[in-house]
Amino acid sequence: AQKITQTQPGMFVQEKEAVTLDCTYDTSDPSYGLFWYKQPSSGEMIFLIYQGSYDQQNATEGRYSLNFQKARKSANLVISASQLGDSAMYFCAMRPPDSSYKLIFGSGTRLLVRP
Amino acid sequence: NAGVTQTPKFQVLKTGQSMTLQCAQDMNHNSMYWYRQDPGMGLRLIYYSASEGTTDKGEVPNGYNVSRLNKREFSLRLESAAPSQTSVYFCASRAASGNTIYFGEGSWLTVV
């Protein structure tokens, strides 16, 4: 069975510094995809970044990058130059190898950016 | 841009009452989903629809029914609400060839 683990319930980071949010996953399938979503206090789910298991390079989207280490089964999110607006819950999720994209989510990490 | 629209946004139900959460997307997406999010937890899939007329159970389907009458709309029905169904419900959709799953803004449901 597939599983996502986020071991950091909460984290602090100083404004303008970089921060890494951890995500490990468990699957026996060679084909899968990994997502990161941001959930601000208003509650909506905002897509940040996607990494396919066969992608050769780490995904990047603006200040977000995904540190994909396949052998370690980790997909950490790196946020560079943190901003106050980055304070939110962050969820890592995985899609199965079929075409359904039925995501499995981790329990999330609450990030607080200090001014 | 509307994207994925859910109604109602807030609802309080009494135990045993029924209600339907409505979801509509205007992006011509094939796949649609219903998730629930309990406090301090990630989202869990309730039901999934790959296309109009098809539905499939997710991780936590008990106590729910769904209907995908057309490509745009995917509704979630609670026939006899229970306090354990107090949660935030998210509808989502995805294009056939895309990796991005778009979520609605969520529906806060309290069952007393």
Side-chain angles (χ1 to χ4, degrees), chain A residues 35 37 39 41-45 47 50 89 91 95 99-108, chain B residues 31 33 35 37 40-43 45 48 56-57 90 94 98-105 108:
Chain A
F35 298 77
Y37 280 86
Q39 187 177 44
S41 56
S42 51
E44 71 267 32
M45 296 289 289
F47 167 77
Y50 171 79
M89 281 290 287
F91 291 97
R95 69 158 178 85
S99 60
S100 70
Y101 278 70
K102 292 187 282 188
L103 297 185
I104 297 166
F105 282 82
S107 55
Chain B
S31 300
Y33 311 80
Y35 287 88
Q37 183 180 25
M41 296 180 66
L43 280 67
L45 183 66
Y48 157 68
D56 190 18
K57 292 180 181 179
F90 287 94
R94 185 186 71 89
N99 290 320
T100 306
I101 297 174
Y102 296 89
F103 284 83
E105 294 185 340
W108 274 252

Side-chain angles (χ1 to χ4, degrees), chain B:
Chain B
N1 295 334
V4 180
T5 304
Q6 296 179 226
T7 56
K9 194 166 177 70
F10 300 96
Q11 183 74 48
V12 179
L13 283 178
K14 293 183 179 178
T15 298
Q17 285 185 320
S18 63
M19 77 157 297
T20 299
L21 295 173
Q22 306 286 355
C23 175
Q25 51 90 9
D26 61 2
M27 297 174 283
N28 201 36
H29 287 171
N30 291 322
S31 300
M32 295 187 74
Y33 311 80
W34 275 107
Y35 287 88
R36 61 177 286 175
Q37 183 180 25
D38 299 319
M41 296 180 66
L43 280 67
R44 291 183 293 168
L45 183 66
I46 305 171
Y47 268 96
Y48 157 68
S49 171
S51 61
E52 179 182 343
T54 68
T55 61
D56 190 18
K57 292 180 181 179
E59 183 184 353
V60 288
N62 291 345
Y64 305 96
N65 286 306
V66 290
S67 178
R68 181 86 183 270
L69 295 177
N70 55 58
K71 194 170 187 179
R72 285 190 66 247
E73 298 170 302
F74 188 37
S75 61
L76 178 73
R77 183 161 178 83
L78 287 69
E79 290 292 350
S80 179
S84 61
Q85 293 178 304
T86 294
S87 190
V88 182
Y89 291 85
F90 287 94
C91 179
S93 72
R94 185 186 71 89
S97 58
N99 290 320
T100 306
I101 297 174
Y102 296 89
F103 284 83
E105 294 185 340
S107 295
W108 274 252
L109 176 66
T110 301
V111 183
V112 297

Side-chain angles (χ1 to χ4, degrees), chain A residues 54-101:
Chain A
Y54 294 121
D55 293 343
Q56 294 296 315
Q57 294 191 329
N58 286 344
T60 59
E61 291 284 351
R63 293 187 299 112
Y64 304 107
S65 60
L66 199 151
N67 184 2
F68 183 44
Q69 298 189 32
K70 206 167 181 176
R72 293 186 174 184
K73 292 189 175 180
S74 74
N76 299 338
L77 177 71
V78 180
I79 306 174
S80 63
S82 297
Q83 302 172 356
L84 296 179
D86 294 334
S87 294
M89 281 290 287
Y90 288 82
F91 291 97
C92 181
M94 178 167 59
R95 69 158 178 85
D98 61 28
S99 60
S100 70
Y101 278 70

